[in-house]
């Protein structure tokens, strides 16, 4: 195993640099925006080359199938007609958007950037917990952490056979250029008070794109333009958007949106703009749809899934409802419309009254929840004070869809700082690590 002792001695220096560079995330709580540092732990997650090759195969397979599903579900809906997925799971999904029917993105690519969350069980198997195909975030944190770690402890990286993760910006730019219809590449941010604003600005800088807010873009003659400082205009060919679907276009979606661009979706409909990721992708990362992804892989690709889902049950089905109620105390229940670690409850953590109330809601709204076996996933060491302690950690892998699927040989490893918690999200107080993928 590679040595990182010298790097551990530079922990304080790395975190001071992260603070100086403003590596933060923000959360709204009780109507107030609070910005805080994203705690970094210097002990890296280490993935052997052969193990990552296996992950790469499974991740490419999954994202290709999900893109095929999105194209199908907004056009012929053959997977529904063939009764692989019940109709209810499509049209009842909060992520399904009827406005996207028969709107095909440039080059048929829907999810240009997919964030796939995995955990490694104590049985040494990897399990996929969640697919994120809307506006997945987090790549910037290991990017800048690796750069700062290299600066603080160059010897560590000189002596380690390690994949260089500094190519993410190159992969992202390749993804943007692949669908650019002619014009500037821009990163669209909702603004300074968004939780991931650091990432928006960092990725714009690293890819050589223009960081813009909605008021700097406008539609003219069925094309999108950027308003230049001298009052002129420049055509935009691709938008890497960090704004959620509803707020992208007040003329087509939420009319109260102040951060979107009026009529931008009309430009997309005409094929005059590429948008990363496509509007309407939420139907594919609905936690209820997650149950069906292995079936999608078999249906669209004729292949067995390389990577496994966590064992999952749909109370929507009578048999699964019975199992969920019988094994309630051994399961984790998730609200399919929630994200960021919210809407997750553990059966064995509820009081008798909470359990009774939840079961009543479950029976009333079975489509709203999934139940999963609690995977006893591996702990990773972190530094807490002067001690090494073990904490739960997951991995967000990034798959980019350019002229071919590209898996970044790195990723965001998040860990819980609470010894009793399985929830690792930054919004729930978690921290992050670098992910070292070793070279062959």
């Amino acid at each position: 195993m590679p040595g990182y002792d010298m790097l551990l001695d530079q922990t304080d220096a790395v975190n001071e640099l992260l603070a100086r560079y403003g590596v933060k995330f923000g959360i709204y709580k009780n109507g107030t925006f609070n910005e805080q540092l994203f705690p970094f732990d210097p002990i890296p997650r280490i993935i052997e080359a052969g193990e990552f090759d296996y992950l790469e195969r499974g991740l490419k397979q999954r994202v290709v199938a999900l893109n095929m599903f999105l194209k199908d579900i907004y056009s012929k809906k053959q997977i529904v007609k063939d009764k692989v997925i019940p109709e209810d799971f499509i049209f009842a999904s909060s992520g399904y958007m009827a406005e996207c029917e028969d709107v095909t993105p440039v080059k048929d690519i829907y999810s240009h950037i997919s964030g796939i969350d995995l955990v490694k069980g104590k049985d040494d198997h990897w399990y996929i917990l969640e697919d994120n195909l809307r506006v997945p975030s987090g790549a910037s944190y290991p990017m800048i952490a690796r750069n700062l770690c290299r600066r603080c402890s160059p010897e560590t990286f000189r002596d380690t056979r390690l994949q260089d993760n500094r190519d993410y910006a190159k992969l992202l730019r390749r993804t943007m250029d692949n669908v650019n219809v002619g014009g500037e590449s821009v990163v669209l941010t909702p603004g300074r008070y968004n939780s991931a604003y650091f990432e928006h600005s960092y990725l714009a800088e690293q890819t050589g794109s223009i960081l813009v807010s909605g008021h700097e873009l406008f539609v003219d003659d069925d094309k999108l333009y950027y308003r230049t400082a001298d009052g002129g205009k420049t055509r935009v060919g691709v938008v890497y958007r960090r704004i959620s679907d509803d707020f992208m276009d007040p003329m087509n979606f939420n009319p109260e949106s102040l951060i979107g661009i009026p009529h931008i979706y009309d430009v997309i409909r005409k094929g005059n703009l590429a948008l990363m990721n496509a509007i309407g992708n939420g139907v594919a990362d609905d936690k209820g749809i997650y149950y069906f992804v292995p079936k999608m892989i078999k249906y669209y690709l004729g292949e067995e899934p390389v990577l496994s889902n966590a064992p999952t049950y749909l109370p929507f089905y009578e048999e699964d409802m019975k199992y969920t109620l019988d094994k309630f105390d051994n399961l984790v229940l998730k609200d399919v419309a929630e994200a960021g670690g919210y809407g997750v409850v553990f059966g064995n953590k509820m009081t008798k009254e909470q359990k009774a109330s939840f079961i009543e809601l479950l029976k009333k709204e079975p489509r709203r929840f999934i139940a999963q076996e609690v995977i006893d996933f591996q702990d990773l060491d972190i530094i807490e004070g002067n001690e090494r302690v073990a904490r739960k950690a997951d991995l967000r892998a990034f798959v980019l869809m350019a002229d071919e699927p590209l898996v970044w040989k790195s990723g965001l490893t998040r860990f819980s700082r609470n010894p009793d918690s399985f929830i690792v999200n930054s919004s729930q107080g978690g921290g992050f690590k670098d992910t070292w993928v070793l070279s062959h």
Side-chain angles (χ1 to χ4, degrees), residues 3 64 104 123 126 132 170 172 177 182 193 204 215 237 249 264 271 292 336 348 379 394 400 416 426 429:
V64 167
T104 305
D123 58 3
W126 286 90
N132 299 276
K170 181 180 176 183
L172 181 55
D177 289 346
Y193 293 105
H215 66 85
D249 183 346
I264 188 174
F292 296 99
V336 300
N348 62 1
D379 299 312
D394 77 351
L400 293 90
S416 171
S426 57

Side-chain angles (χ1 to χ4, degrees), residues 73-111:
I73 221 61
Y74 284 117
S75 57
K76 296 179 180 178
K77 300 177 181 57
Q78 199 62 47
I79 199 166
V80 174
K81 293 173 184 173
D82 290 339
K83 301 188 184 306
V84 178
I85 301 178
E87 190 174 67
D88 290 24
F89 272 82
I90 305 301
F91 304 119
S93 169
S94 61
Y96 168 76
M97 301 189 73
E99 299 91 339
C100 301
E101 287 290 336
D102 297 318
V103 179
T104 305
V106 175
K107 296 190 177 180
D108 291 350
I109 300 173
Y110 286 77
S111 187

Side-chain angles (χ1 to χ4, degrees), residues 13-26 33-40 140-142 144-145 148 151 191-203 205 432:
V14 174
N15 274 295
E16 284 171 13
L17 284 170
L18 288 168
R20 188 183 304 172
Y21 278 88
V23 183
K24 299 176 180 179
F25 68 94
F33 179 76
N34 295 296
E35 197 169 45
Q36 58 196 73
L37 294 173
F38 195 3
F40 172 71
S140 64
Y141 300 110
I144 192 166
L148 297 180
R151 186 188 304 179
R192 168 73 184 78
Y193 293 105
N194 181 264
S195 63
Y197 181 73
F198 161 76
E199 174 155 289
H200 308 166
S201 56
Y202 187 71
L203 292 179
E205 176 193 355
F432 81 102

